[in-house]
């Protein structure tokens, strides 16, 4: 199994600690003002244009000071998921907030789809094995399986499981304490794989979706005698081509 | 559900196919303009009075139009007059597509004579007992006549099962809605906090026209045949089915009170057929989601509670005990090999949340509303999946489950799709009327909020379904017209490329016609259930 991005991300140390505050003491007045503005924003950081507005310092001074502060390792440039083109700075002692990074599922401003896919597969597998599983059960089962040597929080598993429900891979149920729910307290939310009998796991294709009109992007322009009409429809030609 | 624009077009198309342009013109006029007097139909359609009258008679004979009288409050100088108006019965027109389904139900439950009776009623709209007997005999070989008793006996069976009923009153009098009625209904709706679908005029008219329960399914056969039936039949051998139409159907110039009830007219009770199809749809849904055991138990529950069902759109069935359900289960062949425990566990499965069957004090009742809603959602989701892709499908499901406004970022987080991409897809769904969008401006920031409005969307989807049904029907006709030569070619001359073409056409027809039937199931799911 190769899953470089996800692995390296979660295995690597996330937090870097700044060990000394000493460089801050040798700053000029203007550098200090700018540093304080950035630092006050904590884990939200600040966009260069906002710095200029808040400090009322001229552009060249701000640009120069930013370089100095970066060189002294007091601030760092971060990617803001909301606006990747903007230059965004943050004091080094803070880790960017969820709003800035996009949350745990983002790496350097990009959604870690590969990692998410692996987790989805693992969760489905565990639920299938357990037949009916609670969130705790899934988390526990993944931990014990040892397939992932990363620590995942219950919150993370919860997000993955909720996404699987939207995928229609699993369904969310409430235990009634009977039958297969016997080991689960009544009223507790649990999950179950959708039986992959006839549909082969794919959602059932409805009556409308299985005819050309059901998926036609031009249905609004289609009239019996119009340029687009059922008699001349290309989708129909394709559909009826035996 | 309401009749949508394409619903009307489709209904007119069906009437054109079955009864020609003239009748369709009158029908369209009524569908579009609502109930009208004879005078106004003549005015709007610009047809002659005779043409309109005859068209109306055809439509009434086939249960597609109902006449009713209304107090005329317009004239103040004289005493209130009663005016006769005609209303198109949209649902009944659509049912014409389903006659094969109705007949399939009958052939599953009854023998061929019954099938013949219902077939006759569907074909001719409404018939007297005498006409039914004539029809039964005309389809028999020489000297193999069906006796009056046999026909009566079978008709009795069909009436007992409610598949056949007395025709509605020709011209019922409809109380005009008084001013006290409207606010009273509003208050009621508010206090009960339930969404009560407003009763349409069509429903009110049908309600007024429907004979009293006892009379509607009264087994008392009319006397015209019991006494001199056989004689009478011989006296007028040239009288054929259909000839009576003009006399039987409501004629605006004849005072209906004096003529009605002398001869009993029978017709198919569409309501019962639709109820049956609704039950079937529920059973199939449960089977697909659970297993055969659950489906057998559900169908037993339907069987045990069906007599208590008063209207088609019943929200839930009457409560049943485990014992009574088991008793019903073992009546069926498939249910006979189920043990009591098996039935019990199927009930547990059916009632596990979100439940198809609700349990109160050890009594089980079917939650029809929930089963139907699940099936409707599934149909719409499958359209979204095919038309907009998997990510859109996830977004739609998220919003549909949430049932409230959600912000773009939140949606993006939940379904693991990049924010930019999320916005793009949501926008596309919104453009095609699958979502509602609201802009929220906070300071300088603008947030986009999205929502699925089921009520509006379901109607939109239904309209697209009607459109699709119309298109399918037009395309079938077009293909048949195109390949007329091949269709008309005698079998022995269908060789080589001709044979190939014929086979291809056959496949096309099978595909299109089976799609029509399935699409009609989906239309019923949204329109009738």
């Amino acid at each position: 199994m190769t899953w470089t991005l996800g692995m390296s991300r979660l295995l690597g140390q996330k937090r870097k600690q700044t060990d000394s505050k000493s460089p801050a003491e040798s700053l000029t007045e203007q550098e200090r003002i700018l540093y304080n503005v950035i630092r006050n924003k904590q884990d939200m950081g600040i966009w260069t244009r906002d710095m200029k507005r808040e400090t009322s310092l001229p552009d060249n001074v701000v640009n120069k000071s930013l370089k100095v502060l970066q060189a002294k390792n007091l601030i760092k440039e971060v990617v803001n998921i909301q606006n990747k083109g903007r230059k965004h700075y943050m004091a080094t002692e803070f880790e960017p907030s969820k709003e800035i990074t996009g949350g745990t599922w983002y790496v350097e401003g990009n959604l870690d789809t590969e990692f998410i896919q692996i987790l989805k597969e693992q969760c489905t597998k565990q639920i299938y094995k357990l037949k009916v599983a609670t969130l705790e059960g899934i988390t526990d089962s993944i931990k014990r399986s040892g397939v992932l040597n990363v620590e995942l929080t219950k919150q993370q598993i919860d997000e993955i499981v909720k996404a699987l429900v939207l995928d229609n891979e699993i369904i969310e149920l409430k235990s009634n304490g009977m039958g297969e729910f016997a080991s689960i307290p009544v009223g507790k939310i649990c999950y179950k794989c959708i039986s992959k009998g006839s549909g082969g796991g794919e959602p059932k294709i409805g009556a409308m979706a299985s005819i050309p009109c059901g998926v036609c992007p031009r249905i609004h322009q289609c009239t019996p005698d119009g340029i687009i009409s059922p008699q001349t429809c290309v989708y129909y030609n394709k559909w009826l081509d035996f | 559900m309401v009749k949508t624009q394409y619903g009307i077009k489709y209904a007119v198309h069906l009437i054109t196919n079955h009864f020609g342009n003239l009748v369709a013109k009158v029908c369209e006029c009524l569908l579009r303009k609502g109930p009208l007097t004879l005078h106004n139909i003549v005015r709007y359609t610009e047809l002659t009075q005779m043409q309109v009258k005859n068209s109306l008679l055809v439509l009434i004979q086939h249960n597609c139009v109902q006449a009713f009288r209304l107090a005329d409050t317009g004239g103040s100088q004289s005493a209130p007059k009663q005016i006769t108006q005609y209303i198109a019965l949209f649902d009944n027109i659509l049912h014409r597509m389903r006659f094969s389904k109705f007949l399939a139900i009958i052939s599953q439950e009854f023998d061929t004579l019954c099938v013949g009776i219902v077939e006759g009623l569907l074909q001719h709209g409404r018939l007297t007992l005498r006409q039914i007997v004539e029809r039964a005999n005309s389809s028999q070989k020489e000297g193999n006549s069906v006796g009056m008793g046999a026909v009566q006996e079978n008709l009795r069976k069909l009436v007992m099962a409610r598949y056949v009923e007395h025709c509605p009153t020709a011209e019922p009098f409809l109380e005009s809605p008084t001013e006290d009625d409207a606010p009273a209904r509003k208050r009621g709706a508010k206090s009960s906090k339930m969404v009560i679908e407003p009763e349409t005029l069509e429903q009110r008219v049908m309600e007024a026209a429907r004979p009293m329960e006892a009379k509607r399914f009264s087994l008392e056969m009319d006397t015209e045949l019991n006494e001199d039936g056989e004689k009478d039949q011989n006296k007028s051998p040239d009288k054929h089915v259909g000839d009576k139409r003009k006399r039987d159907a409501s004629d605006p110039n004849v005072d209906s009170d004096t003529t009605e009830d002398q001869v009993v007219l029978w017709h198919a009770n569409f309501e019962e057929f639709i109820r049956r199809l609704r039950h079937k749809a529920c059973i199939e849904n449960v089977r697909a989601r659970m297993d055969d055991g659950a489906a057998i138990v559900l169908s037993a529950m339907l069987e045990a509670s069906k007599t208590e069902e008063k209207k088609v759109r019943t929200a839930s069935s009457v409560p049943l005990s485990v014992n009574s359900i088991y008793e019903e289960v073992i009546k069926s062949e498939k249910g006979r090999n189920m043990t009591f425990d098996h039935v019990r566990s199927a009930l547990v499965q059916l009632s596990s949340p979100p439940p198809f069957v609700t349990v109160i004090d050890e009594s089980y009742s079917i939650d029809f509303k929930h089963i139907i809603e699940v099936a409707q959602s599934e149909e719409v989701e499958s359209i979204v999946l095919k038309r907009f892709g998997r990510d859109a499908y996830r977004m739609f499901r998220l919003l549909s489950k949430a049932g409230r406004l959600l912000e773009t970022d939140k949606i993006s987080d939940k379904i693991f799709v990049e924010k930019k991409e999320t916005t793009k897809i949501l926008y596309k769904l919104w453009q095609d009327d699958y979502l509602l969008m609201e802009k929220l401006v906070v300071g300088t920031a603008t947030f986009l909020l999205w929502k699925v409005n089921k009520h509006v969307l379901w109607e939109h989807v239904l309209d697209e379904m009607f459109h699709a049904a119309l298109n399918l029907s037009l395309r079938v006709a077009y293909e048949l017209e195109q390949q007329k030569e091949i269709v008309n070619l005698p079998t022995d001359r269908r060789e080589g490329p001709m044979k190939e073409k014929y086979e291809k056409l056959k496949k096309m027809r099978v595909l299109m016609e089976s799609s029509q039937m399935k699409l009609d199931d989906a239309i019923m799911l949204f329109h009738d259930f």
Side-chain angles (χ1 to χ4, degrees):
Chain A
M1 209 190 286
T2 55
W3 29 304
T4 48
L5 203 56
M7 277 289 275
S8 62
R9 185 166 72 100
L10 276 145
L11 288 178
Q13 275 298 310
K14 276 185 91 180
R15 281 172 200 279
K16 285 178 209 150
Q17 299 293 327
T18 43
D19 40 27
S20 156
K21 280 180 194 151
S22 56
E25 283 156 19
S26 59
L27 296 176
T28 67
E29 183 58 24
Q30 286 152 334
E31 284 162 1
R32 183 174 300 283
I33 292 168
L34 189 67
Y35 178 57
N36 284 338
V37 166
I38 297 172
R39 208 172 155 207
N40 279 340
K41 295 284 183 260
Q42 298 189 353
D43 63 357
M44 287 303 289
I46 182 168
W47 177 30
T48 42
R49 176 145 344 140
D50 290 334
M51 288 176 205
K52 286 165 191 168
R53 213 187 56 235
E54 283 192 28
T55 59
S56 312
L57 292 168
D59 277 13
N60 59 343
V61 176
V62 169
N63 292 341
K64 207 177 127 204
S65 306
L66 281 174
K67 277 198 188 112
V68 174
L69 291 171
Q70 246 184 312
K72 289 193 172 174
N73 206 19
L74 286 169
I75 61 164
K76 61 185 172 183
E77 195 181 332
V78 289
V79 180
N80 182 354
I81 185 80
Q82 311 289 349
N83 209 322
K84 289 184 197 169
R86 290 178 178 180
K87 278 200 176 277
H88 209 89
Y89 291 92
M90 185 177 289
T92 3
E93 67 227 67
F94 296 106
E95 276 303 315
S97 73
K98 201 172 162 257
E99 285 81 359
I100 300 296
T101 59
T104 31
W105 307 108
Y106 281 78
V107 176
E108 285 149 17
N110 293 313
L111 192 66
D112 196 349
T113 45
E114 201 183 337
F115 182 57
I116 292 161
Q117 194 48 44
I118 290 161
L119 286 182
K120 275 189 178 177
E121 281 163 21
Q122 283 305 319
C123 283
T124 316
K125 219 166 154 183
Q126 299 304 332
I127 296 169
Y128 186 73
K129 219 168 75 185
L130 293 165
K131 293 200 172 66
V132 179
T134 59
L135 184 58
E136 290 78 11
I138 302 162
T139 316
D140 202 46
S141 177
I142 287 183
K143 205 182 280 172
R144 269 187 291 126
S145 73
V147 193
L148 304 169
N149 42 6
V150 284
E151 199 67 23
L152 289 164
T153 63
K154 212 171 104 180
Q155 169 69 23
Q156 282 172 311
I157 299 284
D158 186 41
E159 284 177 42
I160 294 287
V161 166
K162 291 262 157 62
L164 283 169
V165 172
L166 294 178
D167 288 350
N168 209 16
E169 287 281 334
I170 61 172
I171 42 167
E172 191 179 285
L173 299 157
K174 253 189 211 154
S175 165
N176 58 7
M178 288 187 270
E180 54 188 6
F181 301 102
S183 59
I184 299 163
V186 178
K188 176 106 183 142
I189 296 222
C190 41
Y191 301 92
K192 202 178 153 180
C193 283
I194 290 198
S195 56
K196 309 213 163 185
S198 50
E202 282 297 298
K204 197 180 118 212
I205 298 172
M208 184 68 172
S210 38
I211 57 169
C213 299
V215 288
C216 179
R218 295 261 175 269
I219 188 160
H220 302 293
Q221 285 123 292
C222 175
T223 52
D225 312 302
I227 298 168
I228 300 173
S229 80
Q231 288 90 345
T232 57
C233 175
V234 286
Y235 298 113
Y236 260 99
N237 292 345
K238 221 171 134 189
W239 186 51
L240 297 174
D241 184 30
F242 285 101
Chain B
M1 270 238 196
V2 291
K3 41 177 189 266
T4 66
Q5 276 311 305
Y6 268 97
I8 292 176
K9 282 188 194 173
Y10 179 53
V12 173
H13 171 79
L14 291 177
I15 293 294
T16 313
N17 277 352
H18 295 173
F19 307 113
N21 289 329
L22 216 60
V23 178
K25 199 169 178 186
V26 172
C27 186
E28 180 168 16
C29 176
L30 289 175
L31 282 168
R32 292 201 184 278
K33 298 206 184 284
L36 294 173
T37 58
L38 180 65
H39 176 75
N40 275 335
I41 303 171
V42 171
R43 198 159 64 101
Y44 287 126
T45 55
E46 292 174 347
L47 298 172
T48 66
Q49 176 137 347
M50 204 54 202
Q51 284 173 321
V52 172
K53 232 185 207 174
N54 286 335
S55 297
L56 281 175
L57 288 172
V58 170
L59 288 165
I60 291 169
Q61 169 75 22
H62 288 276
N63 310 298
C64 297
V65 160
Q66 171 71 42
F68 65 99
R69 279 173 297 152
L70 208 62
D72 184 11
T73 48
S76 55
Q77 69 274 44
S78 59
K81 265 194 319 188
Q82 287 187 0
I83 48 162
T84 300
Q85 295 205 357
Y86 298 87
I87 185 168
L89 305 174
F90 180 64
D91 292 2
N92 285 6
I93 297 171
L94 294 184
H95 292 332
R96 303 191 65 78
M97 259 306 278
R98 305 173 181 139
F99 285 175
S100 61
K101 290 178 190 171
F102 297 170
L103 280 175
I105 293 175
I106 297 297
S107 53
Q108 269 169 23
E109 295 179 26
F110 301 95
D111 59 18
T112 48
L113 194 52
C114 285
V115 176
I117 294 174
V118 174
E119 195 178 37
L121 290 172
L122 293 175
Q123 223 167 60
H124 300 283
R126 28 183 87 177
L127 297 173
T128 61
L129 180 59
R130 185 219 308 266
Q131 288 171 320
I132 295 172
V133 174
E134 274 173 22
R135 204 181 166 276
N137 280 312
S138 68
S139 61
Q140 293 290 322
K141 284 180 193 132
E142 282 296 320
N144 206 1
S145 77
V146 182
M148 179 60 155
V151 172
Q152 259 179 334
E153 191 43 47
N154 281 288
L155 184 60
R156 233 176 223 132
K157 276 194 233 162
L158 289 165
V159 174
M160 289 274 275
R162 297 182 165 234
Y163 288 122
V164 172
E165 60 172 349
H166 285 225
C167 281
T169 317
E171 262 184 84
F173 177 72
L174 194 69
E175 297 279 351
S176 44
T178 55
E179 274 157 27
D180 312 339
D181 277 359
R185 207 176 297 150
K186 221 187 219 166
R187 265 204 309 277
K190 225 180 241 170
S191 59
S192 64
K193 287 212 168 169
M194 264 170 61
V195 186
I196 299 167
E197 273 187 56
E199 207 178 27
T200 60
L201 184 63
E202 189 177 321
Q203 283 166 331
R204 283 184 55 217
V205 171
M206 287 316 286
E207 197 61 47
R210 190 169 296 145
M212 301 289 285
E213 191 73 6
K215 211 185 138 204
R216 192 177 165 194
F217 301 105
S218 151
L219 290 164
E220 212 172 284
M221 302 286 165
D222 46 10
T223 47
E224 62 162 345
L225 274 168
N226 288 348
E227 286 158 12
D228 59 349
E230 308 296 332
K231 246 193 311 179
D232 199 75
Q233 216 175 336
N234 297 334
K235 248 193 282 178
S236 54
D238 55 345
K239 202 167 196 101
H240 287 302
V241 166
D243 285 357
K244 279 193 84 174
R245 188 171 70 206
K246 283 168 196 171
R247 181 158 67 82
D248 298 329
S250 128
D251 187 328
N253 295 332
V254 178
D255 190 357
S256 54
D257 282 341
T258 57
T259 52
E260 74 176 353
D261 296 340
Q262 287 177 350
V263 179
V264 178
L265 270 172
W266 301 95
H267 78 164
N269 178 16
F270 294 147
E271 207 181 88
E272 188 60 32
F273 285 106
I274 293 296
R275 198 201 317 272
R276 268 319 170 89
L277 291 172
R278 187 183 192 237
H279 287 181
K280 276 181 189 223
C282 287
I283 295 170
E284 286 322 307
N285 254 293
V286 164
R287 195 192 308 279
R289 234 161 271 274
M290 296 173 175
D291 53 32
D292 283 342
I296 292 168
V297 170
L298 188 86
S299 94
M301 289 178 76
L302 287 166
E303 198 58 35
S305 62
K306 75 173 179 193
T307 48
E308 301 293 325
E309 263 184 68
K310 292 288 173 261
K311 51 182 204 273
V312 174
R313 285 188 180 172
T314 313
S316 57
S317 69
V318 288
L320 296 165
S321 68
V322 187
N323 287 320
S324 58
I325 295 170
Y326 185 67
E327 211 175 293
E328 193 65 46
V329 167
I330 52 172
K331 276 189 200 163
S332 72
E333 204 179 315
K334 277 184 189 158
R336 223 158 280 149
N337 48 29
M338 284 181 90
T339 61
F340 192 73
D341 270 351
H342 193 170
V343 171
R344 210 180 248 287
S345 77
L347 281 169
V348 168
Q349 198 187 0
L350 281 163
S351 56
S352 63
F356 289 145
V357 166
T358 49
V359 199
I360 297 165
D361 297 336
E362 300 276 303
S363 286
Y364 298 84
S365 94
I366 303 162
D367 189 346
F368 286 112
K369 206 162 152 263
H370 179 62
I371 302 177
I372 299 294
E373 277 171 358
V374 167
Q376 287 172 338
S377 294
E378 197 175 65
E379 180 72 33
V380 180
E381 283 168 10
S382 118
I383 298 172
V384 172
L385 177 65
K386 281 277 242 175
R387 205 184 284 185
F388 305 95
R390 187 158 291 273
D391 284 338
Y393 169 77
R394 293 174 176 136
M395 289 174 201
F396 184 81
R397 277 174 59 90
L398 173 67
L399 288 165
S400 170
K401 272 174 204 268
R404 60 189 167 91
L405 287 161
L406 289 182
E407 204 257 321
T408 316
D409 281 4
K410 186 149 193 190
I411 298 168
S412 154
D413 285 346
K414 292 245 180 199
I415 55 157
F416 299 116
V417 173
E418 295 265 7
K419 297 187 180 6
K420 254 195 191 154
E421 185 63 19
T422 305
T423 315
K424 229 163 75 187
I425 296 171
L426 287 169
Y427 193 75
K428 232 170 124 192
L429 282 165
W430 171 74
Q431 269 186 321
D432 272 20
D433 296 326
Y434 277 75
L435 293 183
L436 289 183
M437 188 218 302
E438 268 181 40
K439 270 188 188 157
L440 184 70
V441 181
V442 181
T444 53
T446 309
F447 297 96
L448 293 181
L449 303 167
W450 312 86
K451 188 184 167 180
V452 172
N453 183 336
K454 282 196 186 174
H455 190 71
V456 177
L457 179 58
W458 273 204
E459 202 177 306
H460 173 73
V461 169
L462 178 64
D463 192 48
E464 284 193 348
M465 284 179 180
F466 282 133
H467 193 166
L470 174 65
N471 282 356
L472 255 173
S473 179
L474 287 169
R475 184 74 187 213
V476 173
Y478 170 78
E479 293 294 343
L480 289 178
E481 178 63 31
Q482 287 290 302
Q483 323 259 359
K484 218 168 29 187
E485 291 167 46
I486 303 165
V487 178
N488 294 336
L489 213 61
T491 329
D492 54 320
R493 285 185 54 203
R494 268 185 225 134
E495 280 168 351
M498 280 304 185
K499 191 176 168 168
E500 232 167 71
K501 269 191 174 174
Y502 182 79
E503 290 300 320
K504 200 182 142 187
L505 183 67
K506 217 165 90 183
K507 275 188 205 160
M508 270 160 66
R509 267 188 85 169
V510 169
L511 177 62
M512 284 197 279
E513 279 165 8
S514 67
S515 297
Q516 271 181 310
M517 285 297 115
K518 276 190 216 147
L519 184 60
D520 179 62
D521 282 341
I523 289 175
M524 278 195 282
L525 183 64
F526 284 80
H527 183 75
D528 301 273
F529 298 165

